[in-house]
Amino acid sequence: MADDDDVPLLDDDDDEQLITSDGREPNVEAVFVVTFDVKSGNIIEFQMPEKEQMELKGVEYKVLPSGSHRINQDFVYFRHGNKYGLACIARADITNDDDGSALSVVDQSQRGMCIKSVGIITSSITHIQSYIPFLQTEAKLYLNQTSVNYDRLKGLLFRDVQSIPISLSIYDTLFTEFIQHFGPSIFPLSRLILLGKRILLYSCSPIGPTCNAVYFLHILNQSVNPLFFITITDLLVLINEPSYIGCTTEKIFQEKTNIYDVFVNCDDQIVFHTNDSILQSIIKITRNDRNRLKKTMTLNSFINIGNRLSRLLDRLSKSNTNQQMSKDDFHSINLHQRYDRLFINEYIRIHHIPNVTISNPESILFPISPCCHCPRSN
């Protein structure tokens, strides 16, 4: 049942197009294939450039997350130093039927299964998704080859492979999966990323959907460091990182409360954990959050959430006549004056936006102050 205080659902036709097919896919700086050996563990069975020219130590643990042996297909985004990586994973059971394929050779050292992770290293995350179909095909191919040929993979380095097309459809597909998995939780997550918090998402394998969440949320505030998939070996990085978003398959991270502001369990239901009393209010899913999903959420409207907010506050801050954020101002960016007031308060404090005041529902002005975090009681 609608309420007079509900935020009207507005069109986003004037939004800036932030993701387009302009430009080209990122330049591939390295390619690799990782597999699992029961004696040696995760190993890099192939890489180019060779180890002497580019050290990929540690990549073998980033591209086969824990639990990969239980699923047939996945993908993972990760960081390698200051570079970005993408790998696609394929797994299959080894059979006793001799059909001439690699999977028909029973190798007891592999515990009855074969797993490959095929990936790339680039200097940019932009359009890296365009490589997913190619890498998925290669990973499945290597599972079935008795004599492996890496020529097509090598071709990515020398542009011998036909140019990978940049299709916006893959963004739409991945974004739809993001919305379906997280539902109205995308709005508390967007508030956290706009506040520049340390956000750690946890999920069992497959980790690909959670990596997608990191990607789309990072676009909202690119000052937040996108760490993507992390393991326990990244603990020191997290301790020293003032603002980040990442994901993991290791639930032990939840116990290490000094390395995150909010820990989000993404298995089955989305559950937020934080010890910060202000964030405990900001992470609550409000009625307005649920209402916003009644209108189709497009990728473009989502990634412009931060732009609309910053433009509004910048205009109010510079205004010579009206620096009050009114109910209509809240509605103009699809926010609710009562539910989102504490979030706006924190946003203005953290980003040092001067002069702006907020009117409460009774039209009484109060100044935005770093020492005032108390929302009006409902």
Side-chain angles (χ1 to χ4, degrees):
M1 183 174 179
D3 188 284
D4 290 340
D5 201 30
D6 284 346
V7 177
L9 300 177
L10 303 177
D11 291 330
D12 301 310
D13 294 338
D14 60 343
D15 279 339
E16 178 186 357
Q17 287 288 141
L18 295 183
I19 291 184
T20 71
S21 57
D22 294 339
R24 61 189 303 174
E25 69 276 6
N27 188 47
V28 175
E29 299 185 11
V31 296
F32 58 85
V33 179
V34 169
T35 191
F36 173 80
D37 181 89
V38 71
K39 295 179 181 178
S40 305
N42 296 1
I43 59 172
I44 299 176
E45 71 175 29
F46 168 78
Q47 76 168 83
M48 182 176 279
E50 295 181 357
K51 184 177 180 180
E52 292 74 20
Q53 297 172 285
M54 179 174 286
E55 179 59 71
L56 295 184
K57 183 178 180 180
V59 164
E60 63 270 31
Y61 301 107
K62 289 290 185 78
V63 302
L64 284 179
S66 60
S68 295
H69 63 285
R70 294 192 296 266
I71 58 176
N72 292 331
Q73 182 174 295
D74 198 6
F75 64 91
V76 58
Y77 305 143
F78 61 96
R79 296 290 293 274
H80 182 63
N82 63 351
K83 299 185 185 299
Y84 297 89
L86 163 67
C88 290
I89 303 161
R91 188 207 73 92
D93 294 326
I94 297 174
T95 70
N96 291 311
D97 300 325
D98 188 3
D99 59 6
S101 71
L103 296 181
S104 67
V105 180
V106 179
D107 184 348
Q108 295 300 323
S109 70
Q110 303 309 319
R111 295 178 179 171
M113 65 118 187
C114 181
I115 189 167
K116 302 285 183 180
S117 187
V118 181
I120 58 174
I121 301 291
T122 78
S123 58
S124 171
I125 196 65
T126 304
H127 292 318
I128 197 171
Q129 293 91 340
S130 57
Y131 286 101
I132 289 178
F134 175 85
L135 295 175
Q136 285 177 333
T137 299
E138 292 300 290
K140 292 176 183 177
L141 184 66
Y142 296 155
L143 285 178
N144 293 282
Q145 284 186 342
T146 53
S147 179
V148 178
N149 185 329
Y150 299 117
D151 287 349
R152 276 171 48 86
L153 190 59
K154 294 177 184 177
L156 292 179
L157 291 171
F158 307 112
R159 299 276 177 179
D160 292 338
V161 173
Q162 184 178 1
S163 182
I164 305 294
I166 298 172
S167 171
L168 295 186
S169 64
I170 192 167
Y171 289 102
D172 292 334
T173 299
L174 296 176
F175 182 71
T176 298
E177 293 174 357
F178 168 55
I179 295 294
Q180 289 174 343
H181 185 69
F182 285 86
S185 295
I186 66 172
F187 298 114
L189 286 168
S190 69
R191 294 193 283 271
L192 293 171
I193 199 79
L194 290 172
L195 294 177
K197 297 303 179 180
R198 299 174 299 166
I199 309 164
L200 186 54
L201 310 179
Y202 162 78
S203 172
C204 295
S205 289
I207 197 64
T210 317
C211 285
N212 270 335
V214 173
Y215 178 84
F216 289 122
L217 289 164
H218 163 249
I219 297 175
L220 294 180
N221 183 1
Q222 297 186 36
S223 67
V224 175
N225 191 3
L227 297 179
F228 294 102
F229 179 69
I230 58 174
T231 68
I232 201 68
T233 60
D234 297 306
L235 188 57
L236 287 179
V237 174
L238 300 184
I239 290 174
N240 297 313
E241 194 63 53
S243 178
Y244 73 83
I245 183 166
C247 59
T248 186
T249 55
E250 300 178 39
K251 199 170 184 182
I252 191 174
F253 274 117
Q254 185 175 353
E255 302 172 9
K256 304 184 182 302
T257 56
N258 63 315
I259 64 169
Y260 61 81
D261 295 314
V262 180
F263 182 92
V264 187
N265 189 329
C266 303
D267 274 345
D268 299 325
Q269 294 183 334
I270 310 300
V271 182
F272 294 78
H273 302 272
T274 182
N275 292 325
D276 186 303
S277 59
I278 295 175
L279 294 183
Q280 285 172 359
S281 295
I282 290 174
I283 62 178
K284 291 179 180 177
I285 297 175
T286 69
R287 184 175 66 187
N288 185 52
D289 293 334
R290 298 185 188 279
N291 286 342
R292 291 170 77 179
L293 280 189
K294 292 179 181 178
K295 176 176 179 284
T296 300
M297 174 64 67
T298 66
L299 172 58
N300 195 56
S301 62
F302 177 75
I303 62 182
N304 272 284
I305 288 174
N307 285 345
R308 295 195 295 272
L309 174 58
S310 63
R311 285 197 299 262
L312 171 63
L313 293 177
D314 183 64
R315 175 177 62 80
L316 291 174
S317 178
K318 295 176 180 178
S319 173
N320 294 322
T321 58
N322 183 11
Q323 295 178 321
Q324 168 189 333
M325 188 169 178
S326 66
K327 179 178 179 179
D328 287 343
D329 288 325
F330 274 87
H331 288 186
S332 72
I333 54 174
N334 292 318
L335 296 184
H336 192 283
Q337 189 180 30
R338 182 168 71 252
Y339 299 148
D340 293 306
R341 195 169 92 180
L342 181 58
F343 160 63
I344 294 296
N345 188 0
E346 280 295 282
Y347 184 92
I348 292 175
R349 180 185 68 83
I350 289 170
H351 294 283
H352 308 290
I353 299 172
N355 305 322
V356 179
T357 58
I358 295 179
S359 61
N360 69 16
E362 288 75 29
S363 298
I364 300 173
L365 300 184
F366 69 93
I368 297 300
S369 168
C371 62
C372 178
H373 301 301
C374 302
R376 185 180 66 85
S377 59
N378 294 325

